[in-house]
Amino acid sequence: MAATTIDPKQAVVNQIEFYLSDSNLPFDKFLFTLWSTSFHTPTPVILAHPAPTSYVSPPTLPVPPSDKHDSFHLGWVPLSKLTSFKRMRDYLNPVAEGGVGGIDEIAKQVQDNSEAVEAYLFPSVDGGDEGGWYVRRKYLLERPEDAFLRSAYAKGFPIPTGEDEEKVKQEELELQKKLEAWAKGLGVGLVKSLRMRREDKTLPAKEGKKEVTLKGRGAFKGSVFIEFATTDSVAKFIDLAPKFEDKDLEVMSKSDYVEMKRKIYAPDSAPIVPSTKPAWERKKGPGGTNPKTFNAWQESLVGSGGIPNPPAEARSGGRDKKDAAGGKKRKAEDEGEGEDEEKKDELREILYDSVRFTARRSGPEGESKITIDNIDNVGKGEGEWPEGKLFFFTIGAQDGEVGGEDFDFKDFKDVLEPVVKVGFVSLLGESKKIAPLPVKKEDTEMKAEADGEGKKEIKQPYPAKGQATFKTVVTDEEFEKIKKAAGEWKGRKVEWRRGTSEEERAHMISRAMFHAQKAFEPPTGSHGGRGGGRGGRGGRGGRGGRGGGGGRGGNKRGRH
């Protein structure tokens, strides 16, 4: 067989279609959550734009689940989030470097060549959310025919090796693309997905903790599972006895492979008979043939019409059935009867920068503590917080300068905005000679607290150190433009550097903790309770309110 060639333009469309496919979307917790949220709480930038008169909605799209939103506004996922995945980043490169040429070109390829996904450009809202390209499925989510019976096993592929882990990962990504192109080119039927099988990866034990084993996150084994659209394709694949780059392969159905392994590792057990139940009705665990750890169908997260259920309905899909018979336990809990002597932990589901995690408040009133569950793994893996958004700068002092000068955050951001959209700019450490944010957006003067005498204007001393975050990953080319555009500030030299992986991780965790604390604040306008009335830890005014001038525990970092 001739060497497999890869067309990046077709490959990027295939990858986006896979992410949003029936075979992946309901089994990918991160993407499903992102997609589900877009149905019930569309972003403001989408809601701000009515369906254009020239837009023709595909007849297969869903009707609104309620009268709150038009169907045009439902189901959109930010393309920038998909292109931040490791498997997608190379497609952002110029054509000369094997990419497609950027996110605009990727969106164009989806518009022109995809029968399953559409793309649309939502303009920015004045003074509000940033716009951009969004993609969505053209079809309702459907329960697939059992993937176990439609899958084949193949072994004998090359295994990238070497001491340089990053180089090996890159070679594995390239191999994945080659394998997908090879499988589609066999002509035995539609390929729904191809999954490279991997060894388990063991992380070393941290102090006071056991080592952690990540299932299927290690090195490539040299074998794959290929999911076809029909069981007939599996038979054709086996009969073809395909080769990869002129090398023989060991091929069989997935069910035969599982049975072969049973005979090796559990010869005394009963033969495995493929279940006649669809995958979403079978239980998870060692006794079943469904290895996925997340299943939106099984967890009642999808309604009968292929539309994701509202969060409240999804959560009660199976958990409340035990209480439905008598309802006494539920009623007692609602009325506060029969509670344990120790107050139960309160949980909040948080979505920050497209990553969902659980915040927990534990402990008695007045001594409670807010934490994030499984914090070491939040924002890691597929859908992870991408690196390349955090930067540090140092503004030097002018020769012979005594005292300081006001630092205008808005003007500094305006210099950066034409290059990359800015998240916020702040001063750090000893440079933080500034008070919390002004209450009004139009108030750009920074104020500081005098010693118990209200507020007064102050001068910012230099040199000053600060940090800036951007809304998208900054490329090397964009970083050079930043250094050129903001290499000098009012006659002072400005030096820039990228944040390290550790600094970016620490920053994202700190922001996640901020949102976790905000989640437990009383609603705006309420009084009393934790947080001290209006604003609490994060609102304006009140005790510790971000934006008010006083209060204990307020945000001490000037941020715009």
Side-chain angles (χ1 to χ4, degrees), residues 11 23 48 58 76 147 172 175 240 309 313 371 375 467 477 500 528:
S23 299
W76 295 103
E172 289 180 347
L175 178 60
L240 182 64
N309 286 325
E313 289 183 25
T371 57
I375 193 169
Q467 72 179 43
E477 181 180 356
T500 65

Side-chain angles (χ1 to χ4, degrees), residues 97-401:
E97 298 177 14
V100 176
I103 195 167
D104 291 336
E105 187 59 31
I106 291 175
K108 183 177 183 300
Q109 292 302 319
V110 172
Q111 287 180 319
D112 295 345
N113 301 311
S114 178
E115 296 182 359
V117 177
E118 63 176 332
Y120 193 84
L121 179 62
F122 288 91
S124 299
V125 179
D126 292 339
D129 291 320
E130 179 186 1
W133 284 104
Y134 284 73
V135 292
R136 71 172 175 181
R137 296 166 51 97
K138 291 183 179 179
Y139 301 90
L140 293 171
L141 191 64
E142 295 183 357
R143 289 175 167 174
E145 177 190 346
D146 193 347
F148 183 76
L149 298 175
R150 292 184 285 105
S151 297
Y153 167 84
K155 178 181 178 181
F157 302 101
I159 301 176
T161 58
E163 297 295 328
D164 189 337
E165 290 188 8
E166 288 302 317
K167 183 179 179 181
V168 171
K169 288 180 181 179
Q170 188 61 37
E171 290 177 354
E172 289 180 347
L173 287 176
E174 292 302 316
L175 178 60
Q176 173 86 36
K177 297 173 186 177
K178 287 184 178 181
L179 291 173
E180 290 172 349
W182 164 80
K184 293 176 188 297
L186 293 176
V188 299
L190 178 63
V191 176
K192 304 286 285 186
S193 68
L194 183 148
R195 302 180 189 276
M196 298 171 66
R197 302 182 65 247
R198 296 180 176 277
E199 306 282 357
D200 294 342
K201 182 177 181 179
T202 301
L203 301 180
K206 295 183 179 180
E207 184 177 354
K209 296 184 179 180
K210 297 180 180 179
E211 63 181 24
V212 178
T213 299
L214 302 179
K215 193 76 173 175
R217 298 288 292 276
F220 177 48
K221 290 182 175 183
S223 60
V224 301
F225 284 133
I226 307 172
E227 180 188 341
F228 293 99
T230 66
T231 54
D232 288 344
S233 294
V234 176
K236 292 178 181 179
F237 174 77
I238 295 171
D239 290 342
L240 182 64
K243 295 184 178 183
F244 182 78
E245 296 180 345
D246 295 327
K247 294 184 179 180
D248 292 330
L249 301 173
E250 179 184 354
V251 298
M252 65 185 76
S253 68
K254 186 174 181 178
S255 58
D256 286 346
Y257 169 78
V258 172
E259 175 62 13
M260 177 184 72
K261 290 297 181 180
R262 181 199 67 80
K263 292 178 179 178
I264 296 173
Y265 296 107
D268 296 332
S269 63
I272 295 176
V273 178
S275 175
T276 57
K277 290 184 177 181
W280 56 87
E281 292 182 5
R282 297 198 303 269
K283 295 182 178 180
K284 303 175 186 176
T289 53
N290 179 15
K292 300 189 181 292
T293 57
F294 174 77
N295 186 328
W297 295 108
Q298 192 178 63
E299 297 184 21
S300 303
L301 299 179
V302 187
S304 57
I307 297 174
N309 286 325
E313 289 183 25
R315 284 196 299 268
S316 64
R319 200 167 50 226
D320 292 344
K321 291 180 180 178
K322 293 180 180 179
D323 295 343
K328 295 181 179 180
K329 178 181 178 182
R330 176 71 58 187
K331 185 172 184 289
E333 290 176 352
D334 291 342
E335 297 177 355
E337 299 174 4
E339 291 187 352
D340 295 336
E341 195 171 309
E342 183 178 346
K343 183 178 177 62
K344 293 183 178 179
D345 291 354
E346 296 179 65
L347 304 180
R348 297 285 189 275
E349 291 295 319
I350 312 293
L351 183 66
Y352 167 56
D353 199 11
S354 299
V355 171
R356 188 171 293 276
F357 56 89
T358 301
R360 179 184 303 271
R361 179 162 66 179
S362 56
E365 186 78 23
E367 300 178 13
S368 63
K369 179 182 179 181
I370 295 175
T371 57
I372 294 176
D373 287 359
N374 196 25
I375 193 169
D376 290 340
N377 292 316
V378 169
K380 294 182 178 180
E382 190 78 348
E384 66 185 353
W385 286 319
E387 295 182 3
K389 295 184 178 181
L390 177 66
F391 291 78
F392 294 90
F393 60 85
T394 301
I395 305 177
Q398 293 177 325
D399 293 340
E401 182 176 25

